Amino acid sequence: MKTLLLASTAAALIAAPAMAQDADSDTDEDVIVVLGDGLPDTPATPAYSTLEIEREQIVSSGSGRLEDVLGNAAGFQQFRRSDSRSANPSAQGATLRALGGNASSRALVLLDGVPMVDPFFGHVPFSAIAPERLGTIDVTRGGGSGPFGSGALAGTIELNSADANALGLVTGQGLVNHRGDTQMSASIAPEVGDGFAVISGSWDQGDGFYTTPEADRVPATSRANYDAWSASGRLVQRVGDMELQLRGMAFEDNRTLRFEGADNSVRGEDLSLRLVSRGPWQVDALAYAQWRNFTNVVISSTRFVRVLDQKDTPAEGQGGKIEIRPPVGDDMTLRLGADYRRGEGDLFEDAYSAFSGNLTEERFAGGVNTNLGFFVENDIELGALTLTGGLRADRYSINDGYYRSFDGSGAPVRNDSYADRSDWEVTWRAGALLEANEVVTLRAAAYTGVRLPTLNELYRPFVVFPVTTLANEDLVPEKLEGFELGVDFDADDNTRFSLTVFDNEVKDAIANVTIDTNLRQRQNLDAIEALGVEASTSIQRGPWGFNGSLALTDAEIRGTGPAGNLDGNKPPQTPTFMASATASYRTANGMNFAATLRHVSSQFEDDQESDVLPAATTVDLFAQVPLVDKLSAVVRVENLFDELIVTRNQGGSMDYGIPQTFWVGLRYGF
């Protein structure tokens, strides 16, 4: 696979000029008319707090990684500050609006309409989704029940693949940094039949950097090695009055964290089929299947030997959605639909003695979660006023849960099977949009949402020495209630400013709650409350541009009973202030310069507010200079001033994030 990617990238950089010359000779009759995306946004979509990240920003980040691009939407965060080169994959859950607290995603992440969260853990495989394959990213902050589906608790992140026109016939890039790490990708997007196809691949690898502070390093300390590849194919065709979209993806990501032998991996395959009709009766029908697996070896931080081998975590997901928009008049947009999601997974792991190296316990856990939802939503345009409202009903089930363990001799230690349970959850959302004049638009929205506990939260205990975290098979779904008020200023097509005030509350929020010394359990808190302000701006003046986003949030835990001592505390891993600002200079011939300033305020590592992750301010740079035809030189800098980014602080044991890193390379077709 790696050889294929190297060859395809080289072919893209060398052979593309001739291929592009042939493409430039096409006549207007060859212009692709299929779109390759879903149904358009409805008139009331802007009533909710939305932010669009355009392709120019997506392909101009300092790191070239998706999670870095999403950092342009202040309020976006993962459980930890590490990116997908130096984080444990199972900790890469996505959330918005300071509603963090555990590693599972509270935001629903979609790629061309397909949920990307892992069926077992709930994390997002960021390394599998190369930013250069995307056309736009739409971020909706706040509860997004209704057409988005279950899981859009803190909001929705919609990743939209680029079409053939945006990509060009052939694109490719190859970069190397000053440590010798490399990043390569290539794609080809020819016209095929009455549409187009896209075939792409990427490969990132390197020895990485030391996440361990220099004073704490030992002979067993390892750099954060990583080796990840991803390949995808997409076919978009006109079939009568319908548009068919077929997409497949495969990926594998291998990493080493902190110590030699502390290896983990995640791999997966996706397949989806989508039919879209944009006629009088608009239809968006989608079906998908996913397969995932995760492995992880834990090394003792005192004896530096293997103590846990999560050797196999197979998981799979299936689902689909159908949405129908009947012709009900020019001033009304009615959406009717249903969706289904099923996730199944199992865990197989072995525990070993740090002293003898002998097998001490074998553990098995898993289960099945399903969700069937029905939704209706309607937008009504009344001149300058647009109203929207939607209702959703979800029938969920949590089935076949189990946990079994055996000692080193094979004798049973635990053999637990948990009762099946199911219930209905009804959620809604409503909003209003008022165009006060040509410049000012006022908006208001209220909403509810729901998220099922993941199989990981329900059934899998884990240890990060010296702390043990227990699973909890009795967890109930998280439920969000919230509202927001906002104003948008559009002075002209190139000047926009947006301000939103929000109040969100997650009832029964799932968190890792300390119940004894070095012992935690996943529990439903009474609530997490988040009150805050979000602002964003976009200004374009000729080749000069500025994009900014900030989020100021006051988040608190509400707890009684076992969690009573947490009442009033800030949720773990939750900053109060986040901001991102990018100044850019782009010309029509492909010259591109961008500088991004980001700040994340301090946050607590744990629910007891005993360990602090200090604030971090970083600057990233990007430069692309045309050389000949569509070939350009690229220079990127991550963390220009080498800011110390603490990503983990557990009783003084720390991990660091990306240090100052310089990249240089070539691009063709961007």
Side-chain angles (χ1 to χ4, degrees):
M1 180 63 201
K2 298 173 185 176
T3 304
L4 174 62
L5 291 174
L6 285 168
S8 62
T9 302
L13 294 173
I14 296 172
M19 300 177 72
Q21 188 173 12
D22 292 340
D24 291 341
S25 66
D26 291 344
T27 66
D28 291 340
E29 294 179 356
D30 296 323
V31 173
I32 298 172
V33 294
V34 296
L35 301 176
D37 52 16
L39 294 177
D41 290 337
T42 63
T45 296
Y48 305 97
S49 179
T50 60
L51 177 69
E52 181 179 82
I53 303 175
E54 298 180 346
R55 180 167 172 79
E56 288 79 6
Q57 292 177 267
I58 296 173
V59 298
S60 303
S61 72
S63 69
R65 311 191 77 80
L66 177 59
E67 57 270 40
D68 184 25
V69 174
L70 290 171
N72 291 325
F76 166 82
Q77 66 176 111
Q78 301 176 89
F79 180 58
R80 298 198 182 278
R81 297 171 175 178
S82 308
D83 67 23
S84 52
R85 292 166 290 192
S86 60
N88 189 293
S90 64
Q92 292 195 269
T95 193
L96 297 161
R97 286 195 166 165
L99 295 174
N102 62 24
S104 298
S105 295
R106 286 195 167 113
L108 179 61
V109 180
L110 304 172
L111 175 60
D112 297 329
V114 177
M116 284 287 103
V117 293
D118 183 90
F120 188 91
F121 290 98
H123 68 265
V124 180
F126 286 107
S127 62
I129 307 170
E132 53 268 24
R133 300 175 193 164
L134 301 178
T136 60
I137 300 174
D138 298 315
V139 181
T140 302
R141 293 174 286 205
S145 60
F148 290 124
S150 174
L153 195 78
T156 306
I157 300 171
E158 298 176 86
L159 311 173
N160 306 302
S161 293
D163 62 18
N165 290 326
L167 289 172
L169 179 60
V170 175
T171 58
Q173 67 175 6
L175 297 99
V176 61
N177 71 21
H178 71 279
R179 292 187 295 271
D181 305 343
T182 59
Q183 188 177 92
M184 308 184 74
S185 66
S187 68
I188 181 170
E191 298 181 21
V192 176
D194 292 329
F196 63 89
V198 179
I199 300 174
S200 60
S202 64
W203 178 34
D204 299 343
Q205 68 84 35
D207 290 335
F209 57 92
Y210 283 109
T211 62
T212 305
E214 186 172 1
D216 297 335
R217 294 174 196 165
V218 296
T221 300
S222 172
R223 293 176 180 267
N225 305 326
Y226 64 98
D227 190 341
W229 63 263
S230 172
S232 70
R234 190 164 177 250
L235 177 67
V236 179
Q237 287 289 298
R238 176 75 63 185
V239 181
D241 294 332
M242 306 276 289
E243 184 176 294
L244 179 146
Q245 303 170 19
L246 178 65
R247 182 178 63 83
M249 179 173 71
F251 64 90
E252 184 173 342
D253 188 346
N254 298 278
R255 310 176 197 174
T256 301
L257 303 181
R258 302 196 77 203
F259 301 115
E260 296 289 345
D263 303 324
N264 65 68
S265 71
V266 59
R267 68 177 186 269
E269 299 84 30
D270 283 15
L271 186 64
S272 66
L273 176 65
R274 192 178 198 177
L275 290 173
V276 180
S277 173
R278 299 183 176 87
W281 281 79
Q282 297 185 359
V283 178
D284 187 345
L286 171 70
Y288 65 88
Q290 300 168 318
W291 298 268
R292 299 283 189 268
N293 206 325
F294 169 77
T295 68
N296 183 49
V297 175
V298 177
I299 299 296
S300 166
S301 60
T302 55
R303 299 183 64 84
F304 312 109
V305 295
R306 179 183 59 173
V307 292
L308 181 68
D309 185 0
Q310 294 172 265
K311 57 186 179 182
D312 198 20
T313 315
E316 61 181 66
Q318 303 88 26
K321 169 187 172 181
I322 183 167
E323 177 181 335
I324 300 173
R325 301 183 187 178
V328 291
D330 295 337
D331 298 329
M332 187 176 297
T333 304
L334 178 63
R335 309 173 73 176
L336 304 169
D339 54 59
Y340 174 76
R341 196 181 310 171
R342 180 183 184 275
E344 177 181 0
D346 298 278
L347 167 72
F348 306 99
E349 66 180 25
D350 296 333
Y352 296 87
S353 168
F355 298 94
S356 67
N358 294 332
L359 176 69
T360 59
E361 193 173 19
E362 294 179 291
R363 303 169 188 151
F364 306 86
V368 180
N369 284 358
T370 62
N371 191 95
L372 175 63
F374 305 90
F375 64 86
V376 57
E377 186 164 276
N378 194 29
D379 293 359
I380 303 175
E381 298 176 81
L382 305 171
L385 177 65
T386 302
L387 300 176
T388 181
L391 186 67
R392 179 180 176 88
D394 287 279
R395 175 68 173 180
Y396 73 85
S397 64
I398 298 175
N399 297 330
D400 301 331
Y402 71 93
Y403 180 89
R404 302 186 186 106
S405 62
F406 304 85
D407 64 19
S409 66
V413 177
R414 284 180 56 183
N415 186 8
D416 300 338
S417 296
Y418 306 115
D420 295 347
R421 50 194 169 107
S422 60
D423 205 349
W424 284 93
E425 291 285 352
V426 176
T427 53
W428 55 268
R429 68 175 189 167
L433 197 68
L434 176 63
E435 296 182 9
N437 53 47
E438 294 182 354
V439 175
V440 178
T441 300
L442 305 175
R443 49 188 168 80
Y447 36 73
T448 62
V450 65
R451 181 187 77 90
L452 288 183
T454 64
L455 299 173
N456 176 56
E457 291 168 325
L458 289 164
Y459 309 122
R460 172 188 168 257
F462 69 94
V463 178
V464 179
F465 185 83
V467 178
T468 297
T469 302
L470 304 176
N472 186 350
E473 69 278 5
D474 295 322
L475 293 172
V476 300
E478 298 179 332
K479 295 172 282 292
L480 178 134
E481 296 178 357
F483 68 87
E484 61 191 52
L485 300 172
V487 57
D488 299 327
F489 299 91
D490 293 284
D492 53 52
D493 291 340
N494 297 311
T495 306
R496 187 174 192 271
F497 176 76
S498 177
L499 180 69
T500 304
V501 178
F502 66 89
D503 186 350
N504 286 183
E505 179 182 38
V506 180
K507 296 182 177 180
D508 295 319
I510 299 171
N512 299 331
V513 177
T514 300
I515 58 177
D516 203 344
T517 303
N518 292 330
L519 183 63
R520 299 174 185 168
Q521 184 184 39
R522 298 185 181 98
Q523 293 185 1
N524 290 107
L525 303 172
D526 289 36
I528 293 177
E529 297 178 353
L531 175 66
V533 177
E534 296 164 343
S536 63
T537 185
S538 176
I539 302 172
Q540 193 70 41
R541 294 291 182 270
W544 297 95
F546 177 82
N547 294 90
S549 178
L550 67 84
L552 179 64
T553 311
D554 180 19
E556 291 187 352
I557 294 173
R558 294 293 173 228
T560 58
N565 65 327
L566 304 181
D567 191 62
N569 285 7
K570 186 175 291 295
Q573 309 291 335
T574 301
T576 298
F577 180 72
M578 305 175 70
S580 172
T582 299
S584 61
Y585 178 84
R586 299 184 179 96
T587 64
N589 70 344
M591 185 173 291
N592 185 352
F593 298 96
T596 299
L597 171 69
R598 288 206 183 99
H599 176 80
V600 179
S601 67
S602 62
Q603 59 199 63
F604 292 108
E605 171 77 29
D606 63 333
D607 60 345
Q608 301 296 307
E609 300 188 344
S610 56
D611 296 317
V612 177
L613 304 177
T617 303
T618 59
V619 175
D620 293 347
L621 302 178
F622 176 89
Q624 177 174 317
V625 179
L627 298 177
V628 59
D629 194 19
K630 295 183 179 181
L631 185 67
S632 300
V634 175
V635 176
R636 300 191 321 219
V637 184
E638 298 181 73
N639 196 0
L640 174 65
F641 298 110
D642 203 21
E643 175 84 342
L644 185 64
I645 306 170
V646 180
T647 63
R648 185 186 66 88
N649 178 12
Q650 191 166 302
S653 174
M654 295 186 182
D655 285 338
Y656 292 161
I658 186 76
Q660 182 187 69
T661 303
F662 296 90
W663 293 85
V664 63
L666 295 173
R667 273 184 168 183
Y668 183 86
F670 284 81

